[in-house]
Amino acid sequence: MKNILFIILTFVLLISCKSNQEQNEQDPNQKLSSNQLITDLDTDKDGKLSKNEVKGPLIDNFSTIDINTDGFLTAAELKKTPKNPNNRPPNQTNRKSDLSNEINNSVKVTPVNPDYFILENIIGKIQKETIDLNGIETLCYIIKTNSQASEHQMGPWCPRHIDDGMEKAGIWFENGKVYDVSGHFIANLDTFYSDDKWKLYRENGTIKVTDTEEGCLAAAKPNVEEKYHNYCVECLPEYFKDQITTFVIPVTPKYLNSSQNLGRDGIGLAFNGVKFDPPAPTHAILAAHTIAPLDDHGGHVNPHGGYHYHAATGSTKQIEQNDLHSPIIGYAIDGFGIYSLSNKKESKPTDLDECGGHFDDTRGYHYHAGAPGDNQIIKCLHGLPGYTEVKE
């Protein structure tokens, strides 16, 4: 990985110079604060940096510095990154970090069962290949999909009129609660968020919706284009139906003593071939007075992965267990199973760790999906992670 401290300091020196003469006189060892960097680059004066406000090396390392993956760089993140440049999880860009000393071979694990997947939703055959994962030669499954659900309809997401009922739209989440995105909900977002700048509807009651692929591309990103502020963001699966997402998942998961934070890549795979994604960057969305609802199945669409889930609502294929334990609904990118939250008696586990996982004698280590309103299916990874790649 590049020396992030050097990159940030170099970039600060470049943008802080007001003339060629001043550049020549700049002390190369001078350390400007993270707050000063924010001040110099923050064109919209919101106290943080979006990707369109930075240039050069900061763009190249944006996802590495953006620790909470909300689409913005804060002074705290800029300050933290130089002290611990490896605090981000292994993923496509930094998966070469050596985690061999973290492997705990005494922990019981259950291998991935490829027969659980709906094979009609998989492109070609599920392959096996030995891959270098963070310095560890690991036998992995290579699974390719178009990330299109088959057990349920994808959508709807946005109502078209403030008189529309909840059956014509999806769901939204706030503070752990799930809300139906009816026309009434859209009409009262100003009250819901205590902000009178919210108004996603026109005088005739019709709701402003991104109903084209162009609108989707402009609005379904952290730095929402200004013309699509105060819109309900809806991207259709057919816009990206030809995208191919490749999942590299260890055949037999390896438990790590320390947890790995989630990156921006997919965090797992449902049995229908649809990607489980990390938490949606709601802060960035709401800052533009836009809302990007999930459908009732916990999914929506973006340009860099097609249809994907942010919540597990019980709509997808699941494999029942022989005991009272909750069913398995998919696999995390590290190969550990993801199970629904509640068991057959509607009881929830009380001993989950920081990632949402725990052990039992039958399944070994495994995860339980968070509640639909949590905006996170799992919180982190406790296994040696594989990765995803999207071919657009």
Side-chain angles (χ1 to χ4, degrees):
M1 181 183 293
K2 297 179 181 178
N3 186 320
I4 306 300
L5 175 57
F6 176 79
I7 290 171
I8 292 176
L9 291 179
T10 302
F11 191 74
V12 170
L13 297 180
L14 289 174
I15 58 92
S16 63
C17 298
K18 294 182 175 57
S19 68
N20 291 336
Q21 180 179 0
E22 288 173 331
Q23 277 189 5
N24 293 333
E25 294 172 355
Q26 182 72 45
D27 179 0
N29 296 315
Q30 181 181 358
K31 293 184 179 180
L32 299 184
S33 69
S34 300
N35 290 331
Q36 184 62 51
L37 180 58
I38 297 289
T39 299
D40 289 342
L41 298 178
D42 185 18
T43 56
D44 61 3
K45 304 304 179 186
D46 64 349
K48 53 188 181 295
L49 302 179
S50 64
K51 203 163 188 177
N52 65 349
E53 290 177 314
V54 298
K55 301 177 181 179
L58 279 183
I59 287 181
D60 297 338
N61 293 275
F62 195 96
S63 61
T64 303
I65 304 169
D66 182 18
I67 296 170
N68 66 357
T69 68
D70 68 349
F72 294 90
L73 305 183
T74 64
E77 287 172 325
L78 290 166
K79 186 181 297 182
K80 184 176 182 179
T81 302
K83 296 178 181 178
N84 184 12
N86 293 319
N87 64 350
R88 293 306 306 273
N91 57 29
Q92 293 185 64
T93 57
N94 63 357
R95 61 177 183 259
K96 294 183 179 179
S97 302
D98 191 348
L99 290 174
S100 55
N101 291 332
E102 291 289 332
I103 298 296
N104 187 337
N105 290 315
S106 66
V107 172
K108 179 180 179 179
V109 299
T110 300
V112 171
N113 189 338
D115 294 335
Y116 288 169
F117 292 98
I118 301 174
L119 296 182
E120 292 80 6
N121 294 8
I122 305 301
I123 299 172
K125 294 183 178 180
I126 297 176
Q127 305 288 339
K128 284 184 180 180
E129 185 177 341
T130 299
I131 305 289
D132 184 340
L133 297 180
N134 303 86
I136 303 167
E137 293 294 312
T138 306
L139 184 64
C140 295
Y141 284 119
I142 312 298
I143 304 173
K144 297 184 177 183
T145 83
N146 293 123
S147 202
Q148 302 273 310
S150 58
E151 309 98 312
H152 61 76
Q153 175 187 350
M154 294 176 283
W157 291 278
C158 296
R160 270 21 188 203
H161 195 279
I162 59 174
D163 292 335
D164 286 345
M166 62 184 184
E167 72 281 357
K168 293 188 177 181
I171 58 176
W172 189 241
F173 44 88
E174 187 69 28
N175 296 325
K177 296 182 179 180
V178 174
Y179 298 87
D180 289 306
V181 183
S182 63
H184 177 76
F185 180 81
I186 292 290
N188 289 277
L189 280 170
D190 55 346
T191 301
F192 185 79
Y193 282 115
S194 301
D195 182 352
D196 60 9
K197 292 182 181 179
W198 282 93
K199 190 177 180 182
L200 273 65
Y201 60 95
R202 305 176 182 91
E203 295 303 322
N204 64 0
T206 59
I207 294 171
K208 293 179 283 184
V209 179
T210 57
D211 54 3
T212 65
E213 184 173 351
E214 177 188 6
C216 160
L217 294 171
K221 55 184 181 179
N223 52 325
V224 179
E225 292 186 13
E226 187 172 356
K227 66 182 292 186
Y228 288 103
H229 286 203
N230 255 307
Y231 263 71
C232 188
V233 181
E234 180 174 286
C235 297
L236 300 182
E238 51 261 38
Y239 296 162
F240 313 107
K241 62 183 176 62
D242 295 326
Q243 280 186 351
I244 298 175
T245 302
T246 300
F247 298 82
V248 177
I249 301 176
V251 170
T252 302
K254 299 179 184 296
Y255 183 83
L256 300 178
N257 290 322
S258 63
S259 60
Q260 305 293 302
N261 293 329
L262 301 175
R264 287 177 177 268
D265 301 332
I267 62 172
L269 180 63
F271 295 136
N272 60 6
V274 174
K275 183 172 59 170
F276 291 134
D277 249 24
T282 57
H283 175 79
I285 297 168
L286 299 177
H289 297 93
T290 64
I291 187 170
L294 309 178
D295 60 22
D296 289 339
H297 316 290
H300 65 183
V301 179
N302 70 25
H304 305 294
Y307 184 75
H308 59 277
Y309 297 120
H310 288 292
T313 64
S315 298
T316 62
K317 177 183 178 179
Q318 55 188 28
I319 305 297
E320 296 292 336
Q321 304 296 289
N322 293 327
D323 53 12
L324 292 175
H325 196 276
S326 57
I328 185 171
I329 62 173
Y331 288 104
I333 201 67
D334 58 10
F336 285 117
I338 301 176
Y339 293 74
S340 61
L341 184 58
S342 300
N343 65 16
K344 295 176 183 177
K345 290 187 175 182
E346 298 301 318
S347 297
K348 301 175 183 178
T350 58
D351 61 342
L352 299 180
D353 61 24
E354 72 276 19
C355 295
H358 68 171
F359 302 88
D360 70 29
D361 292 337
T362 302
R363 285 151 287 269
Y365 186 78
H366 59 279
Y367 302 108
H368 285 267
D374 290 348
N375 187 24
Q376 52 185 9
I377 293 175
I378 57 176
K379 301 176 183 178
C380 53
L381 297 168
H382 241 306
L384 178 68
Y387 55 92
T388 63
E389 293 179 338
V390 177
K391 181 179 180 181
E392 301 180 8

